[in-house]
Amino acid sequence: QVQLVESGGGLVQAGGSLRLSCEASGRTSSSYDVGWFRSTPRKEREFVVAISWSGAVTYGADSVKGRFTISRDNAKNTVYLQMNSLKFEDTAVYYCAADTYGVGYDTWGRGTRVTVSS
């Protein structure tokens, strides 16, 4: 079983940057895709960006393209989300999730809050 813990959230001004981390423990095999999602009071869960197990393939929502970058360090069992040019509308709780069996995201962290002040 895999456990995920997010960190790196906080308060930042619009235009600023943050880097979120998602550290895995337990069955820390690197052979699963990981995604970042975010949740607001108006939208329960929105896909943000994902990365394949090898790190070779990444894809993201149009709203974050060119601003957010996902990467992973399998030696550290950690996936990163670099967020640049943050906007007020990026304010949300950010969750990472793992597709540990190849049939969908089945393991979720507890989230880390990002607040962007305008």
Side-chain angles (χ1 to χ4, degrees), residues 50-92:
I51 188 168
S52 64
W53 68 270
S54 67
V57 177
T58 64
Y59 50 97
D62 288 342
S63 59
V64 304
K65 283 182 179 177
R67 301 189 299 122
F68 290 12
T69 303
I70 188 170
S71 61
R72 68 191 298 164
D73 184 341
N74 287 337
K76 295 182 179 180
N77 300 313
T78 303
V79 173
Y80 303 98
L81 177 61
Q82 178 66 45
M83 305 187 295
N84 298 327
S85 301
L86 282 161
K87 303 176 181 180
F88 175 75
E89 50 265 39
D90 295 319
T91 295

Side-chain angles (χ1 to χ4, degrees), residues 18-117:
L18 279 176
R19 189 176 81 157
L20 306 184
S21 298
C22 171
E23 184 173 2
S25 61
R27 183 174 70 86
T28 55
S29 165
S30 62
S31 58
Y32 47 79
D33 296 355
V34 173
W36 283 95
F37 296 78
R38 62 189 181 187
S39 177
T40 67
R42 289 183 296 277
K43 190 173 291 185
E44 182 177 348
R45 186 176 294 167
E46 175 188 21
F47 169 75
V48 178
V49 64
I51 188 168
S52 64
W53 68 270
S54 67
V57 177
T58 64
Y59 50 97
D62 288 342
S63 59
V64 304
K65 283 182 179 177
R67 301 189 299 122
F68 290 12
T69 303
I70 188 170
S71 61
R72 68 191 298 164
D73 184 341
N74 287 337
K76 295 182 179 180
N77 300 313
T78 303
V79 173
Y80 303 98
L81 177 61
Q82 178 66 45
M83 305 187 295
N84 298 327
S85 301
L86 282 161
K87 303 176 181 180
F88 175 75
E89 50 265 39
D90 295 319
T91 295
V93 178
Y94 285 73
Y95 300 87
C96 64
D99 179 4
T100 62
Y101 295 102
V103 293
Y105 293 104
D106 55 275
T107 301
W108 294 79
R110 293 188 174 185
T112 185
R113 183 174 299 275
V114 172
T115 303
V116 184
S117 61

